[in-house]
Amino acid sequence: MTATSMAKATATGGRPPVIAICDVHKSFGENQVLKGIDLEVQAGEVVCVIGPSGSGKSTLLRCVNLLEQPTSGTVHVEGIEVTDPDVDIDAVRRRIGMVFQQFNLFPHLTVMDNLTIAQRRVLGRKKDEAERIARRNLERVGLADRGDAYPAKLSGGQQQRVAIARSLSMDPDLMLFDEPTSALDPELVGDVLAVMRGLAAEGMTMLVVTHEMSFAREVASRVVFMDGGVVVEDGHPDQVIGNPQHARTRTFLSRVLDPAAASLGEVPGAPAGSAGSAGSMQGEVAPQVGFERGPGLP
Amino acid sequence: MSTTSAPARRLTRKQRRRVSLGLQYALLVVLVLAFAFLADWGTLKENFGNTDLAREMFPDVITTAMVNTVKYTVFGFLLGLLLGLVLALMRLSQIRAYRALAGLYIEVFRGLPALIIFIFIGYGVPFAFPGWQIPGGLTGQVTLALGLVSGAYMAETVRAGLQAVPKGQTEAARSLGMSSTRAMVSIVIPQAFRIIIPPLTNELVLLLKDSSLVYVLGMTLEQQDLTKYGREITQANFNSTPLLVAGLCYLVLTVPLSYLARRLEARQAKAR
Ligand SMILES: Nc1ncnc2c1ncn2[C@@H]1O[C@H](COP(=O)(O)OP(=O)(O)OP(=O)(O)O)[C@@H](O)[C@H]1O
Ligand SMILES: [Mg+2]
């Protein structure tokens, strides 16, 4: 961290926001994906980001822990400017948990080793301590008995809960979720959402990209609607989901909340009659990223 | 045209198949009989099946020759693997000079006959660096020669393996605060090696055979590998049996390894 970034944080008075995104632009070649995003997340807030596919939600999330380097603009996490080229990004990332759509568990390690490897290699915890913490977190996600299993032996819902436990084992100050339930069979979504509800109730600061409208409505302190690389609407869930001000928001919500419209041209047989309640938008399940390698990490 | 409407004397498909098979078997029988009558069985038996001579080779052929072959192969393989990993990482480096250097090395050593490397190690190096010796004596020389050659091949295998590990694995590791080196060592490389075990096993088989090139380097009796050992006894006795025994010893090693490689490959294909 640099002296200037600290000074900036304290200059705002009181506690700095946990995440402060300021005028962030991101382009992939010619493709402008983020076009000036401003977003703050305060401690203990759960902010859900919604929006159509390709609107830049994942890219925004990945800019927070610098899996993507913004083209311009700044991102501060707990007062530290992560976009500062001199920042120790590994140190910042330790405090930011991240949960991926495709889980990204380490398939060559057991569940227990998935949870302990970073604790030991990054935080330098002893084996005993790391395993104790891992067991506590496995218990927290309801998988206390699966420590010896390899990820491939688990259902998608179990894998995602292990991934959450893996992040929690690093004692993060905030968590990023990128469509954590989009790759799951509908009947497995509930368990993962229950774990996330629990986290929110415990006061974890969370930035969640999701299509689960009922979750956003019930758990989020704020909902952010993104479209075309900009934040269109940002406010209380009752406001953004219940009484959207912008036509784009209304169009998007009508597609998500009305399964008949949502299934048009997408997945046939989306669960009918779940409007407004489950609202799980299976049609939006993005194709697996697979083996391609994009421009790598910084 | 369906077969039911064909004239009765036309053969059905099943009958045609039988005739074809019958002809093939007949050809086989003719060939075997011709060989059995024309071959000079007495000379053949004496030349390849001299059981006394074969018996005399034991236990040395195993305890010395085969052990040496395995030793040279394994050392060469380990050096080649290390070199291959380094070259693969260089190939994937952000620094262009590293990529170019590794590329050059791989092209050169894949394009040269292994024999010329052996001769260079044995005779070129002493001329090129007078007063300096490759450490480890003959074992060091063989290890170096085999390592230099196989490293070039394994580099491409390892690179493919590293690239086959999904990008999300590195991202998850980095998100947990691991440095890029740590993510590479703990997450990517172990998975890459799992992926490339079958091709590496095939490389081991190739190397086992290439280890016979050690014959161009001077060897004491205790240093002889299977090929050299078999050849010495064959030349001393004017009889091919020792070569046959040496050959069988190679097969004892290579056939199970190849089988293993195929099994692993099939299992991976199924797991995909
Ligand atoms: N590494 C990359 N290289 C090139 N283009 C990229 C890369 N990552 C994302 N993009 C592009 O950026 C745009 C926004 O992608 P992003 O994944 O952020 O959207 P999203 O809102 O998360 O969509 P979804 O709901 O489908 O996940 C897309 O057009 C995508 O093709
Ligand atoms: Mg996305």
Side-chain angles (χ1 to χ4, degrees):
Chain A
M1 101 180 52
T2 64
T4 49
S5 63
M6 277 308 285
K8 191 169 174 182
T10 44
T12 55
R15 266 165 68 179
V18 177
I19 303 173
I21 296 166
C22 186
D23 197 28
V24 160
H25 289 71
K26 174 70 186 175
S27 306
F28 294 105
E30 292 288 283
N31 186 7
Q32 269 202 14
V33 176
L34 299 180
K35 303 171 184 164
I37 302 276
D38 292 291
L39 184 66
E40 286 195 353
V41 179
Q42 307 296 331
E45 267 193 315
V46 176
V47 175
C48 285
V49 180
I50 61 173
S53 181
S55 57
K57 308 180 297 292
S58 300
T59 305
L60 176 64
L61 206 65
R62 293 158 61 84
C63 281
V64 173
N65 66 353
L66 229 60
L67 285 182
E68 302 291 356
Q69 177 85 47
T71 314
S72 69
T74 61
V75 177
H76 285 76
V77 172
E78 299 189 303
I80 301 167
E81 186 187 340
V82 297
T83 37
D84 178 346
D86 293 330
V87 79
D88 177 1
I89 190 62
D90 295 338
V92 181
R93 281 179 180 149
R94 271 167 230 170
R95 314 219 298 254
I96 310 175
M98 179 140 188
V99 175
F100 300 86
Q101 183 174 348
Q102 299 298 336
F103 329 136
N104 293 350
L105 292 180
F106 306 132
H108 62 301
L109 302 176
T110 62
V111 166
M112 180 53 82
D113 291 343
N114 263 275
L115 267 64
T116 56
I117 188 162
Q119 291 190 67
R120 297 180 60 193
R121 301 294 187 187
V122 176
L123 302 179
R125 286 180 184 155
K126 293 268 164 297
K127 186 165 190 266
D128 291 351
E129 190 193 3
E131 290 190 346
R132 191 164 41 76
I133 293 169
R135 267 192 295 275
R136 200 183 64 216
N137 283 307
L138 280 179
E139 216 162 287
R140 213 160 150 190
V141 300
L143 292 168
D145 53 338
R146 303 314 300 269
D148 296 331
Y150 279 90
K153 296 277 177 237
L154 304 180
S155 74
Q158 291 173 328
Q159 289 190 46
Q160 192 60 296
R161 284 183 283 152
V162 170
I164 294 173
R166 177 174 71 179
S167 285
L168 290 174
S169 296
M170 300 295 284
D171 299 324
D173 297 337
L174 64 150
M175 298 268 291
L176 309 173
F177 293 84
D178 190 0
E179 299 194 38
T181 57
S182 291
L184 300 178
D185 291 337
E187 70 269 22
L188 302 176
V189 168
D191 293 338
V192 172
L193 290 183
V195 168
M196 291 171 64
R197 271 193 197 92
L199 277 178
E202 288 168 28
M204 175 65 79
T205 309
M206 294 158 66
L207 184 56
V208 185
V209 174
T210 186
H211 290 296
E212 299 288 341
M213 289 306 145
S214 61
F215 175 84
R217 219 170 166 157
E218 178 196 334
V219 179
S221 353
R222 268 163 52 213
V223 170
V224 172
F225 172 68
M226 273 180 73
D227 193 9
V230 295
V231 171
V232 176
E233 229 166 307
D234 176 350
H236 193 271
D238 290 342
Q239 183 69 36
V240 177
I241 299 176
N243 182 23
Q245 299 302 300
H246 289 77
R248 277 146 99 189
T249 319
R250 280 196 291 274
T251 314
F252 172 75
L253 286 172
S254 68
R255 279 184 57 234
V256 182
L257 295 176
D258 177 4
S263 63
L264 273 180
E266 296 185 341
V267 172
S274 58
S277 56
S280 60
M281 208 169 114
Q282 290 302 312
E284 282 289 345
V285 172
Q288 185 163 355
V289 179
F291 283 56
E292 93 194 76
R293 291 196 149 215
L297 300 163
Chain B
M1 265 287 140
S2 74
T3 44
T4 47
S5 66
R9 63 187 166 80
R10 280 265 299 267
L11 298 176
T12 64
R13 218 168 55 202
K14 204 166 154 191
Q15 283 168 326
R16 272 203 309 257
R17 228 189 69 158
R18 264 202 215 133
V19 170
S20 160
L21 271 179
L23 283 174
Q24 289 178 53
Y25 276 120
L27 180 64
L28 182 67
V29 169
V30 169
L31 285 175
V32 168
L33 285 178
F35 183 69
F37 282 116
L38 296 179
D40 180 351
W41 283 103
T43 313
L44 269 183
K45 159 107 186 28
E46 178 46 38
N47 201 22
F48 283 104
N50 187 331
T51 42
D52 291 338
L53 197 52
R55 210 169 292 136
E56 258 173 52
M57 293 172 72
F58 288 87
D60 283 1
V61 65
I62 305 291
T63 54
T64 304
M66 196 158 157
V67 165
N68 279 333
T69 287
V70 169
K71 185 170 89 180
Y72 299 151
T73 306
V74 169
F75 285 179
F77 182 79
L78 291 179
L79 180 66
L81 195 57
L82 190 70
L83 189 60
L85 180 59
V86 172
L87 286 168
L89 291 173
M90 283 171 73
R91 286 286 273 177
L92 298 172
S93 162
Q94 312 217 334
I95 298 166
R96 202 185 164 147
Y98 280 149
R99 291 201 303 270
L101 248 136
L104 182 71
Y105 179 96
I106 292 167
E107 283 306 323
V108 167
F109 278 81
R110 291 211 305 188
L112 289 175
L115 182 57
I116 211 173
I117 311 290
F118 272 85
I119 295 173
F120 179 75
I121 296 287
Y123 303 101
V125 168
F127 295 143
F129 309 95
W132 182 78
Q133 272 190 336
I134 294 169
L138 177 82
T139 308
Q141 290 182 331
V142 190
T143 304
L144 188 60
L146 288 178
L148 288 176
V149 176
S150 65
Y153 288 94
M154 287 199 255
E156 292 296 87
T157 309
V158 174
R159 184 180 58 79
L162 291 172
Q163 285 181 315
V165 177
K167 194 175 155 227
Q169 291 292 310
T170 311
E171 292 183 347
R174 298 299 311 265
S175 304
L176 289 164
M178 291 189 200
S179 66
S180 60
T181 310
R182 169 52 64 193
M184 190 49 100
V185 169
S186 291
I187 305 302
V188 178
I189 291 177
Q191 291 185 56
F193 272 102
R194 238 152 262 236
I195 296 169
I196 60 175
I197 282 175
L200 284 186
T201 311
N202 284 323
E203 182 63 33
L204 189 62
V205 171
L206 291 177
L207 218 53
L208 195 74
K209 296 185 288 182
D210 278 352
S211 71
S212 63
L213 294 173
V214 68
Y215 82 89
V216 297
L217 309 173
M219 272 180 283
T220 66
L221 270 178
E222 298 79 56
Q223 293 173 326
Q224 286 179 352
D225 76 320
L226 277 172
T227 304
K228 175 80 173 171
Y229 179 79
R231 176 179 154 186
E232 294 275 300
I233 303 185
T234 286
Q235 285 179 334
N237 295 280
F238 308 105
N239 187 293
S240 299
T241 310
L243 271 185
L244 184 72
V245 172
L248 287 174
C249 286
Y250 277 109
L251 291 175
V252 164
L253 297 169
T254 54
V255 170
L257 272 177
S258 301
Y259 174 76
L260 183 73
R262 278 197 303 276
R263 278 282 300 269
L264 291 170
E265 223 160 315
R267 212 172 64 184
Q268 274 189 4
K270 221 190 303 174
R272 282 268 154 74

